[in-house]
């Protein structure tokens, strides 16, 4: 009413998001006539209520049959929720899922308005192109639209590039029973930092923050669950990266750079992320068995793997995209690296403290030097990286 005093025929909308949708469906909220009700997906593309912690009611988020008012859709092609969402990488579920959900929403009458959460546009060009097609035409064929998108950007290897995109969707981690239970890049980072915090606070009971994925089981079982999910996809992401690099070699330089910034970097974030998460979880397993040098080695691998993800972002800052990823504060790979390095130092203290020399003496020092050596020449401790590499060589040869 206040707006109408100053604007003729204003277009107003109201987000039916989270508890607002629930209260509206319970009849506790009235929406003025003419106001567009905007129904939201759960952040993972499904038109149901979003997950809160481990509570996942999945209440349908669409207008009721017979609703005579105006309705629209708030749709996420990117999302941030401290769990498994995709922020630096594209939508993790097959694009045919987007087609099905948006066509279903339009058919239910939510076709007055489409608001799309696009985050930083570059990582999500393909899914934004698809949602634009659906909005303009009301329908789309996922395979045809993918090929059209690829043909518009590339003059060679179009069929292989389209297949790379299809393989991408098939490779993402499945963490639950629903079609939209697929992991984006945040799956490798937020749970990892939560695992480290719970671990270093010496907690062994179930971590409430991990129940949404791993269930209400002892912490060690939650960690094992994440390790197993991450391990399963390491090889498939490695192979997809290899295929992408092979295709890039056959493209003109401009298109090679384009495929790098649009797809390769995302593949590398998944590949490095699943390796880092797997190694971190394995470090905790070794810690539980008091195999501290082995735990230290695994934690070092986690540091190196997550740093590869950070380097992948830097390599993708080509030309006009210089500094594009420097504000990575949501997935926040740097924060994950800090956490893992803290865990690694904690592990070294378990067996190498206080002089950070005991493991060198026990595992690496030649036998001929162990009995007679000068304190002033042998007490310069190795760095964490160097010690981990040399310990790994030693343990591998045993």
């Amino acid at each position: 009413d206040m707006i109408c005093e100053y604007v003729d025929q204003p277009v107003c909308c109201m987000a039916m998001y989270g508890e607002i949708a629930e209260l509206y469906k319970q009849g506790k909220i009235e929406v003025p006539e003419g106001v567009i009700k905007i129904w939201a997906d759960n952040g993972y593309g499904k038109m149901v209520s979003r997950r809160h912690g481990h509570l996942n009611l999945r209440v349908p988020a669409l207008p009721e049959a017979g609703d005579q008012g105006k309705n629209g859709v708030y749709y996420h092609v990117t999302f941030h929720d401290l769990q498994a969402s995709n922020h630096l990488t594209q939508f993790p579920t097959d694009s045919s899922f987007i087609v099905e959900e948006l066509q279903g929403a339009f058919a239910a009458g939510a076709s007055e308005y489409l608001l799309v959460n696009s985050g930083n546009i570059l990582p999500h060009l393909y899914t934004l192109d698809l949602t634009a097609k659906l909005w303009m035409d009301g329908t789309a064929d996922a395979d045809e639209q993918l090929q059209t998108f690829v043909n518009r950007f590339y003059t060679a290897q179009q069929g292989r590039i389209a297949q790379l995109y299809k393989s991408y969707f098939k490779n993402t981690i499945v963490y639950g029973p629903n079609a939209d239970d697929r992991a984006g890049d945040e799956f490798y980072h937020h749970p990892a930092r939560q695992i480290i915090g719970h671990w270093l606070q010496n907690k062994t009971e179930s971590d409430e923050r991990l129940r949404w994925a791993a269930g209400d089981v002892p912490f060690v079982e939650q960690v094992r669950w994440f390790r197993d999910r991450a391990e399963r996809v390491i090889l498939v992401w490695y192979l997809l990266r290899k295929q992408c690099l092979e295709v890039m070699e056959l493209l003109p330089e401009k298109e090679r750079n384009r495929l790098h910034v649009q797809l390769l970097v995302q593949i590398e974030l998944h590949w490095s992320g699943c390796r880092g998460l797997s190694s971190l979880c394995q470090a905790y397993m070794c810690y539980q068995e008091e195999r501290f040098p082995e735990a230290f080695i695994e934690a070092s691998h986690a540091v190196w793997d997550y740093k590869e993800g950070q380097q992948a972002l830097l390599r993708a800052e080509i030309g006009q995209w210089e500094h594009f990823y420097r504000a990575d504060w949501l997935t926040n790979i740097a924060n994950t690296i800090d956490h893992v390095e803290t865990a690694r130092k904690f592990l070294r203290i378990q067996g190498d403290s206080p002089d950070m020399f005991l493991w060198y003496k026990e595992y690496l020092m030649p036998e001929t030097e162990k009995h007679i050596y000068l304190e002033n020449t042998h007490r310069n401790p190795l760095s964490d990286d160097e010690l981990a590499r040399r310990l790994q060589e030693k343990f591998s040869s045993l």
Side-chain angles (χ1 to χ4, degrees):
D1 290 342
M2 290 163 56
I3 293 171
C4 288
E5 292 179 12
Y6 299 94
V7 181
D8 290 333
Q9 298 180 325
V11 177
C12 299
C13 63
M14 178 177 179
M16 310 303 288
Y17 197 40
E19 71 275 11
I20 299 298
E22 296 169 13
L23 291 170
Y24 174 76
K25 290 198 170 187
Q26 293 168 9
K28 297 178 180 178
I29 290 180
E30 293 184 6
V31 180
E33 184 178 352
V35 172
I36 305 169
K37 300 185 293 296
I38 308 228
W39 301 89
D41 72 290
N42 63 348
Y44 295 86
K46 185 68 177 177
M47 295 304 297
V48 297
S49 59
R50 64 170 293 186
R51 182 171 58 234
H52 293 276
H54 63 85
L55 183 64
N56 195 13
L57 300 179
R58 298 180 68 86
V59 176
L62 286 171
E64 302 283 356
D67 187 323
Q68 298 301 311
K70 296 180 178 181
N71 294 278
V73 176
Y74 173 31
Y75 202 75
H76 294 82
V77 298
T78 180
F79 193 49
H80 170 65
D81 70 344
L82 311 178
Q83 291 183 340
S85 44
N86 66 301
H87 180 67
L88 296 174
T89 60
Q90 66 185 313
F91 195 79
T93 306
D94 190 277
S95 52
S96 61
F97 181 84
I98 296 177
V99 172
E100 181 179 339
E101 288 300 307
L102 283 181
Q103 286 185 169
F106 298 156
S111 57
E112 186 75 21
Y113 183 89
L114 177 63
L115 173 64
V116 182
N117 188 329
S118 62
N120 286 323
I121 291 173
L122 173 62
H124 313 291
L125 282 176
Y126 167 59
T127 42
L128 286 170
D129 192 66
L130 178 62
T131 53
K133 170 72 172 177
L134 285 159
W135 175 247
M136 297 291 286
D137 298 347
T139 185
D141 180 283
D143 287 341
E144 288 181 8
Q145 182 61 20
L146 173 58
Q147 198 61 62
T148 300
F149 172 82
V150 170
N151 291 348
R152 191 163 70 245
F153 278 97
Y154 302 95
T155 60
Q157 303 297 314
Q158 295 101 325
R160 293 182 68 182
I161 293 171
Q163 188 57 51
L164 291 174
Y165 273 88
K166 292 179 181 179
S167 297
Y168 176 96
F169 302 127
K170 291 179 181 177
N171 283 3
T172 54
I173 289 175
V174 176
Y175 62 82
N178 305 296
D180 51 304
D181 291 338
R182 283 184 171 268
D185 51 281
E186 295 200 342
F187 182 90
Y188 310 116
H189 296 274
H190 291 286
R193 300 199 291 263
Q194 289 161 356
I195 286 170
I196 292 169
H198 205 72
W199 170 9
L200 299 193
Q201 293 171 43
N202 200 30
K203 297 177 180 178
T204 57
E205 72 280 6
S206 180
D207 188 339
E208 179 81 7
R209 300 167 301 176
L210 302 177
R211 282 180 59 187
W212 63 272
D216 187 13
V217 296
F219 180 56
V220 66
E221 294 303 321
Q222 291 180 317
V223 174
R224 182 175 287 109
W225 185 94
F226 277 98
R227 182 199 64 184
D228 292 348
R229 294 305 182 284
E231 275 186 355
R232 292 175 191 174
V233 296
I234 291 174
L235 179 59
V236 294
W237 285 115
Y238 164 78
L239 293 174
L240 186 58
R241 177 180 181 272
K242 183 172 181 288
Q243 293 165 13
C244 190
L245 289 170
E246 290 171 354
V247 171
M248 287 170 59
E249 287 298 314
L250 303 174
L251 296 175
E253 181 180 3
K254 185 176 181 180
E255 294 178 15
R256 181 165 63 249
N257 291 341
R258 181 174 295 150
L259 190 58
H260 186 164
V261 301
Q262 288 188 10
L263 187 59
L264 176 65
V265 62
Q266 302 191 31
I267 295 171
E268 290 182 327
L269 287 174
H270 278 282
W271 183 46
S272 60
C274 63
R275 287 156 52 214
L277 180 58
S278 172
S279 294
L280 168 65
C281 294
Q282 187 58 34
Y284 179 76
M285 295 301 173
C286 292
Y287 168 80
Q288 284 289 297
E289 299 171 1
E290 297 188 357
R291 294 189 291 127
F292 299 128
E294 293 94 326
F296 175 78
I297 293 169
E298 292 291 347
S300 296
H301 277 286
V303 170
W304 303 333
D305 293 334
Y306 282 123
K307 283 186 175 180
E308 283 193 25
Q310 199 173 48
Q311 289 301 309
L313 294 184
L314 293 175
R315 289 193 299 271
E317 292 181 338
I318 301 169
Q320 71 194 70
W321 304 113
E322 184 179 3
H323 302 309
F324 183 79
Y325 292 106
R326 65 181 174 182
D328 168 33
W329 301 318
L330 296 185
T331 297
N332 207 333
I333 298 176
N335 188 7
T336 306
I337 293 169
D338 286 344
H339 271 72
V340 180
E341 286 185 329
T342 299
R344 176 167 70 164
K345 291 183 182 302
F346 168 81
L347 288 166
R348 187 168 181 179
I349 286 174
Q350 304 309 305
D352 208 27
S353 178
D355 299 313
M356 303 307 181
F357 176 70
L358 297 178
W359 282 348
Y360 174 83
K361 180 181 178 183
E362 181 175 356
Y363 299 109
L364 303 176
M365 179 182 283
E367 287 295 328
T368 54
E369 296 182 20
K370 282 187 177 181
H371 304 293
I372 302 177
Y373 60 88
L374 297 177
E375 296 275 343
N376 62 328
T377 60
H378 284 75
R379 287 298 182 101
N380 182 21
L382 298 175
S383 69
D384 290 341
D385 284 343
E386 180 65 18
L387 178 62
R389 291 190 178 97
R390 293 181 65 174
L391 284 174
Q392 179 172 269
E393 291 174 5
K394 178 67 175 181
F395 279 65
S396 297
S397 64
L398 295 178

